[in-house]
Amino acid sequence: MTASAPRYMARFRCIAEACEDTCCAGLTVPISESRWSLLRQKVAGGPDEARVTALITPNPDGATGQQAGILGKRADGHCAFLDETKLCSLQSRYGEAVLPDGCSVFPRVLTRWGAQVEMAGSLACPETARLCLLAEDALVREPVPEAQALRPQMARQVASGADAWTAHADVVREAMLRLLARSDVPFAARLYALGRMALDLGDFYFPGTTAFTDDAAKTAAASDATQEPLPTAEARLADILRTYDATDTLHTLRDQLEALELPGGPWAGICAAVLRSREAQVGSQRYLSLVRDVRASYGGADTAPDDAWRLHVTRREALASLHGERVHQYFLNHALNHVLRHPFTEAPSLLNAVFLLVLRASVVRYVLLGHPAVVALLDTPGTPVATLDAAAVESFQLVAKHVEQAPQFLDFAQGLAGEGPETFARLLILVKGL
């Protein structure tokens, strides 16, 4: 097996009890039948046997296999097996092998592309967020020792090549990463270009497409000397990706986006609604405190979306003038990591995957520009950039942990996106907010 990872994950080491937001809190952790059985064997006849029996219960949904059991939580939301030093009592006594897969692998996210295992990271971990956002070279991909992938058998399979959607996924993903990395157009224009590229591909490149397998029939039909050969789906795919590599294309799209006038109130309203929808579901005081501060900074719960938008634009321009390159690095690294962390093949379409990226970036942008430390920084421009970095890490991390993967958020995103051209029109509203 070979493995690769962006450089920030090659650098990652858990900081354990020094972490400001332990992963052993706020998350529901399943345990597989095999790990549960191994743990019961390890504790049999010992002082932890009764505790393991009491604190790990069958999945209330009746799931088996990988989701067979659920680890219990304390009243404060922390894992019942976390000790007084904020370390896992199971791992310290019985070793890493007894840990549920999620505990062992997190914050690593493993994906198998053909024979290659790739390791990306979840920004729900504060240390991962720091390493990803704050280093310019964080997203440079490089080989890593196989041991760093920990449990490669847990990697999800993406590019099996069994169908055209996954067979061409790697070349499409590389085109996405190249486009995001372009420095000759603003970041929002790159996201706009991603959406346009996805829209252009969408009529023949999608889950279940037969366009590529139908190419042989097209070639046979064109064998008559009076017919021009029809372009194959593979040729169309390559041509579209090549178009979006072209400087002229990107500059034209940049100009289109800059000329586009759209109301900003809907953008602010969407971001505020996402945060509001999660408050009743989240017990983390760090998250709830930040959301309350952000809401207050935009004028409170009753402020009109248009008023929040005007305040957002003022702050966005002021922060860009002070620390534009630094803020750009945060969002570029977040986007690159998103493409690696969330294979687009999991989405209903490429356009839907791009929409979800832009929605997640929009929510974090809204939170960052409402973060009390950033609001204070804009009032005192001499504040060290480390203050901005800390606010960014907290904003990205809390949104990643409590919003981005929540089923309610994903359902909301799917409903908001719509389908096809409708998705692209709504994507434009989000892009203009960035």
Side-chain angles (χ1 to χ4, degrees):
M1 181 195 78
T2 58
S4 68
R7 192 166 287 167
Y8 80 93
M9 281 308 296
R11 295 166 175 161
F12 172 77
R13 299 294 182 275
C14 176
I15 60 175
E17 70 274 16
C19 185
E20 66 267 37
D21 190 6
T22 175
C23 54
C24 301
L27 301 173
T28 297
V29 180
I31 185 169
S32 68
E33 291 175 341
S34 60
R35 296 289 169 185
W36 197 1
S37 175
L38 176 62
L39 178 58
R40 285 193 293 255
Q41 293 173 30
K42 292 285 188 180
V43 302
D48 287 318
E49 182 175 17
R51 199 161 67 106
V52 167
T53 299
L55 297 177
I56 302 179
T57 57
N59 192 318
D61 295 333
T64 58
Q66 295 298 317
Q67 308 279 323
I70 300 293
L71 270 63
K73 295 181 184 179
R74 304 190 312 226
D76 62 2
H78 287 68
C79 177
F81 294 101
L82 200 66
D83 66 21
E84 63 278 1
T85 63
K86 295 175 65 177
L87 295 174
C88 176
S89 60
L90 295 179
Q91 181 174 6
S92 62
R93 294 172 192 170
Y94 307 104
E96 184 271 338
V98 304
L99 294 180
D101 292 320
C103 295
S104 176
V105 174
F106 186 86
R108 302 160 190 85
V109 180
L110 305 178
T111 307
R112 188 181 297 278
W113 292 77
Q116 175 86 10
V117 171
E118 294 186 359
M119 180 174 66
S122 168
L123 300 195
C125 164
E127 182 67 2
T128 303
R130 263 188 292 275
L131 294 171
C132 178
L133 300 175
L134 305 187
E136 188 176 352
D137 65 345
L139 272 295
V140 175
R141 287 176 286 172
E142 59 188 21
V144 296
E146 293 180 11
Q148 274 193 262
L150 291 183
R151 299 184 183 179
Q153 70 275 14
M154 298 306 301
R156 54 195 169 183
Q157 179 76 50
V158 174
S160 65
D163 62 277
W165 174 240
T166 60
H168 298 280
D170 197 28
V171 70
V172 172
R173 183 183 66 152
E174 291 303 314
M176 295 171 71
L177 293 170
R178 286 196 306 274
L179 203 164
L180 283 170
R182 291 287 294 263
S183 60
D184 52 328
V185 293
F187 180 65
R190 298 174 223 175
L191 294 176
Y192 174 54
L194 267 186
R196 282 290 300 271
M197 184 178 80
L199 189 64
D200 288 349
L201 291 171
D203 65 336
F204 69 96
Y205 180 64
F206 51 83
T209 181
T210 60
F212 294 81
T213 54
D214 290 345
D215 283 346
K218 293 178 184 177
T219 301
S223 60
D224 185 333
T226 62
Q227 283 188 275
E228 287 290 328
L230 296 172
T232 64
E234 193 159 350
R236 290 176 66 194
L237 178 70
D239 185 56
I240 290 171
L241 298 185
R242 190 163 46 247
T243 296
Y244 284 90
D245 274 333
T247 298
D248 288 349
T249 300
L250 295 187
H251 287 185
T252 298
L253 292 175
R254 174 202 60 197
D255 295 343
Q256 288 179 4
L257 184 64
E258 290 176 354
L260 192 62
E261 295 290 339
L262 288 173
W267 182 90
I270 288 168
C271 294
V274 167
L275 297 177
R276 188 167 55 248
S277 71
R278 294 293 298 140
E279 284 186 87
Q281 311 297 325
V282 175
S284 165
Q285 288 306 307
R286 288 183 75 240
Y287 174 81
L288 295 174
S289 176
L290 179 58
V291 168
R292 285 193 292 267
D293 288 343
V294 168
R295 181 187 300 117
S297 84
Y298 281 107
D302 298 326
T303 192
D306 285 341
D307 293 336
W309 168 254
R310 283 189 286 271
L311 192 53
H312 171 79
V313 170
T314 299
R315 290 175 181 167
R316 184 179 66 183
E317 293 174 354
L319 189 59
S321 68
L322 292 171
H323 299 291
E325 285 302 313
R326 192 64 169 171
V327 174
H328 168 260
Q329 179 178 297
Y330 303 151
F331 283 90
L332 173 60
N333 286 7
H334 172 262
L336 293 170
N337 190 66
H338 188 282
V339 173
L340 298 175
R341 156 81 176 87
H342 300 279
F344 72 83
T345 51
E346 297 178 341
S349 70
L350 179 58
L351 183 57
N352 188 277
V354 175
F355 181 90
L356 191 55
L357 161 60
V358 179
L359 177 59
R360 284 170 165 150
S362 293
V363 174
V364 179
R365 176 80 72 166
Y366 183 87
V367 170
L368 180 62
L369 291 181
H371 193 292
V374 174
V375 175
L377 180 152
L378 295 176
D379 291 334
T380 53
T383 304
V385 72
T387 300
L388 176 62
D389 285 346
V393 168
E394 184 175 47
S395 299
F396 279 88
Q397 185 258 323
L398 288 175
V399 171
K401 184 171 184 178
H402 298 292
V403 178
E404 285 192 355
Q405 291 296 97
Q408 300 97 325
F409 169 74
L410 296 175
D411 289 344
F412 171 82
Q414 187 62 43
L416 181 66
E419 297 181 2
E422 180 182 46
T423 305
F424 183 71
R426 295 177 180 182
L427 178 118
L428 286 179
I429 291 173
L430 296 177
V431 167
K432 290 294 281 187
L434 293 169

